[in-house]
Amino acid sequence: MITGAQALVAALKKQNVNIIFGYPGVAICPFYNELSASGIRHILVRQEQNAGHAASGYARINGRPAVCAATSGPGAVNLITALATAYMDSIPLVAITGQVSSDLLGRDVFQEADITGAAEPFTKYSYLVKDPADIPRIVNEAFYIAGTGRPGPVLIDLPIDIQQAEFDETDVPDAQHLPGYNPTTKGHKGQINRVVSAIKRAKKPLLCIGGGVISANAQNELRTLCETAGLPAVSTMMGLGALPTTHSNYFGMLGTHGHPYANYAVQQADLLIIIGARVGDRAVSAPEALGRRAKIVHIDVDPAEIGKNLGTTIPVVGDAKTVLDQLTQTGAKANCGIWMDDLDDHRRLYRPDLDPRPNGGINPKGFLRTVSLAMENDSIIVGDVGQNQTWTAGNIMMRGGKFLTSGGMGTMGYSIPAAIGAKLADPQRQVVAVCGDGSFQMSMCELATAVQHNVPIKIIVMNNHSLGMVLEYQTQQYNGNHFAVELGSSPDICALAAAYGIPSRCVTDDSQTDEAIRRLLDQPGPALLECRISPDEASR
Amino acid sequence: MKRTISVLVENKAGVLSRVSGLFARRGFNINSLAVGETEDPAVSRMTIVSDGDEHTIEQVEKQLNKMIDTLKIKRLEDSSATRRELILIKVGAGTHQRGEVIDIARVFGAKVVDISTTTLTVEHSDRPERIDLLVDLLTPYKIKEVARTGTVALEKGAGTIGYKPKKD
């Protein structure tokens, strides 16, 4: 006989889980008690939401579903933002929550929350466990659902009595029973052929790369297709880094905050091949007009994304890695030399605003470009949300590393916990979190987590003492009526870092940055660099 | 335009709430939703009548298909499906009006299933349009209460929804 909690730990070990991000409470204590002697590492965060973000960062580097845990009621409810963030960006998570005793469900007892109900719109699937003997099967299914097809978060809610109840594990099967879940991976051959003839006929074909290429780990397949077929490509923010920024076939990031030459390419293309992208409103503001101008090929593992925001000429359901490979295998070649030259001209003519500010202060775009160039090729940059996100996404140079950010949900406070998770997933790689002073203050409590668990992430705080993105919006849309966007001069970020035992430095002028960045990256443990910038700096 | 969608789902807790939640948050309309067990007790059939343009209904189908608990889905065209709805309708009918109400019921092939000194309750199963017509014709007799099941439907002829359970 074993208990539900023991079964859960055994099932997690069977999935090769060796780290859990979490925050305990009474309702999850039976599980934590078993976890203590399991050999699975537990990272105690400072707020449950950050357990979810840290697991997200871990999963994005590790490639497999990562686990976060919280107690019932407020613990579980605090997780929701992280679940929603992961859901929007298709990140595979398995979230485990404690729940009040199953005989008390529905009576509104202390720390009871209907978490499976509340998280329903933000999870790929969820379980409320009613029988401990179901745990081996449920855990097996949860990892399978989270990690296959279009990845996403799966929630397992475990009443405390189910964790404690004993059952005879000898004849309990863990075989999946998912008769309604059959994700398609391979593209339909007829559709692939239609794509090939569209490529041959097109004068101005363009690949549009989304986050699906990265979650399918299809960077190599993408590069091979671009090179063998001679296709130009742009990326969404989530697709950033799928091709190296310096690749001759790469023409930048599209969208509201993207590169003008990338948006030019999208506007001019007569064939748009969208791979693993949702055609979200930030990437394409007028999808209807786009559909009228160009033929649209939409390749996605989730059939429900195809045709949702943009009419599609040729839909292809399949995993990006498989479909890109299928396309390369056809030997298709684009005939678009003039188009490539035109795109190249536009790219060359673009002058990014990277120069030092004449009157002192720091140019955030130039600064972030320098940061990315100072980092190793395979390093990980975790962007937060706000102006800092557009500065980072628009200016970093990607050379085989990864850029992680909350793209779909735009969740402030993502970068520090996600960086902790990413660093733990691959301790050999440099990990830098870039946040603003607003987003920093949303998860600065996790500095303690980085110190306690000795996770040597580097944190850059772009401090303009304001909520720059909203301030800029108020400038443009509300005649400069700035309201509720000034954060004031408190806290002293370096003094705060010192309080957490983290070495830090503050730079105020472009001339100081090279040396400060080098010193930041050379620090053995967690370290912080505050970068003072003017609130007048524009996003673009 | 109203469309009928037949959905086979796993017969387990929470599925109905997932389906109705999906309709609510994606802004899809539900005109009616009927659910019940099938020949296989592990499987329920939902018959959903929704209105929307072609694009919306296609989205409804895709989003329903995406649900883990959904086994099979098929749109049923009005011309190629047998559609039925059951209604119980209680109308005010004292001694003077009983005969008229019973006449209307007889024309429809409906049954009078309950009677009191002031009311009659009529039961009828028919195509939804005919049910609407029955309601229209009984409206002058002061309708006290109505209970309708929502539409259930099956394909005409030998065709089925075509679900074959996968072997575990």
Side-chain angles (χ1 to χ4, degrees), chain A residues 87 120-121 124-126 145 150 176-182 302-308, chain B residues 10 12-13 17-18 25-26 55 58-59 62-63 65-71 163 166 168:
Chain A
Y87 188 66
E120 168 59 25
K124 188 169 171 187
Y125 201 59
S126 59
I145 293 171
R150 178 181 181 174
Q176 293 165 12
H177 178 72
L178 295 167
Y181 182 64
N182 310 294
D302 179 1
E305 284 304 338
I306 300 177
K308 187 178 84 179
Chain B
E10 286 195 69
K12 58 187 189 191
S17 118
R18 284 188 171 120
R25 73 176 169 273
R26 298 263 173 201
H55 177 257
E58 197 182 309
Q59 275 300 308
K62 282 179 168 178
Q63 294 293 343
N65 241 328
K66 188 169 158 175
M67 284 184 37
I68 309 281
D69 297 318
T70 303
L71 301 171
Y163 168 64
K166 92 180 161 183
D168 283 322

Side-chain angles (χ1 to χ4, degrees), chain A residues 153-481:
Chain A
V154 176
L155 172 71
I156 304 174
D157 195 25
L158 277 163
I160 186 167
D161 58 320
I162 303 295
Q163 297 172 54
Q164 291 161 332
E166 290 193 331
F167 68 101
D168 181 2
E169 79 281 18
T170 46
D171 50 59
V172 169
D174 72 345
Q176 293 165 12
H177 178 72
L178 295 167
Y181 182 64
N182 310 294
T184 310
T185 50
K186 208 169 165 194
H188 188 276
K189 208 170 161 222
Q191 296 300 84
I192 298 284
N193 291 338
R194 287 180 68 196
V195 177
V196 171
S197 43
I199 291 174
K200 283 180 187 157
R201 272 200 300 270
K203 291 192 175 67
K204 298 176 174 182
L206 183 69
L207 289 174
C208 173
I209 310 154
V213 172
I214 292 168
S215 63
N217 196 23
Q219 291 91 330
N220 289 337
E221 287 76 6
L222 170 69
R223 193 172 175 161
T224 308
L225 178 69
C226 278
E227 288 169 3
T228 58
L231 284 165
V234 297
S235 80
T236 66
M237 186 171 71
M238 290 296 291
L240 207 61
L243 270 186
T245 321
T246 48
H247 195 285
S248 57
N249 294 39
Y250 180 67
F251 293 94
M253 181 178 84
L254 82 173
T256 323
H257 298 289
H259 298 115
Y261 53 93
N263 288 327
Y264 171 80
V266 174
Q267 296 305 319
Q268 295 295 315
D270 64 357
L271 172 68
L272 204 55
I273 304 171
I274 300 164
I275 314 170
R278 297 186 297 127
V279 200
D281 57 317
R282 283 292 161 112
V284 179
S285 52
E288 305 81 11
L290 195 64
R292 279 196 295 274
R293 277 195 307 272
K295 267 193 184 171
I296 307 288
V297 173
H298 198 163
I299 303 165
D300 205 293
V301 72
D302 179 1
E305 284 304 338
I306 300 177
K308 187 178 84 179
N309 297 335
L310 175 63
T312 301
T313 324
I314 309 174
V316 184
V317 179
D319 171 76
K321 198 180 180 82
T322 314
V323 174
L324 284 166
D325 196 44
Q326 283 177 288
L327 285 170
T328 304
Q329 295 304 323
T330 63
K333 282 206 168 30
N335 180 19
C336 61
I338 301 168
W339 166 236
M340 284 281 251
D341 290 344
D342 180 33
L343 292 180
D344 199 33
D345 286 343
H346 277 81
R347 183 173 55 188
R348 257 184 309 112
L349 287 171
Y350 174 64
R351 287 276 161 270
D353 164 30
L354 300 171
D355 298 331
R357 295 290 177 248
N359 306 319
I362 287 172
N363 176 346
K365 295 166 223 167
F367 171 78
L368 288 161
R369 168 72 58 93
T370 312
V371 169
S372 69
L373 290 172
M375 293 175 74
E376 286 156 14
N377 284 354
D378 68 346
S379 57
I380 299 157
I381 297 179
V382 189
D384 218 294
V385 169
Q387 282 184 311
N388 64 84
Q389 188 181 42
T390 67
W391 292 327
T392 309
N395 297 288
I396 53 172
M397 300 301 278
M398 301 290 297
R399 298 151 296 166
K402 276 197 171 167
F403 173 62
L404 315 181
T405 193
S406 165
M409 189 55 80
T411 305
M412 285 176 70
Y414 180 76
S415 67
I416 293 175
I420 291 174
K423 185 71 184 173
L424 285 163
D426 193 348
Q428 303 307 315
R429 289 160 80 171
Q430 285 180 332
V431 178
V432 168
V434 180
C435 47
D437 51 326
S439 46
F440 172 78
Q441 289 185 69
M442 278 208 187
S443 56
M444 64 187 187
C445 54
E446 300 306 328
L447 295 182
T449 309
V451 171
Q452 187 184 16
H453 297 279
N454 191 26
V455 190
I457 57 164
K458 315 300 171 205
I459 299 161
I460 291 173
V461 185
M462 309 296 288
N463 189 358
N464 55 9
H465 297 109
S466 61
L467 301 175
M469 190 64 115
V470 182
L471 182 140
E472 187 178 20
Y473 187 73
Q474 289 176 344
T475 302
Q476 291 161 357
Q477 303 291 326
Y478 297 95
N479 288 323
N481 181 26

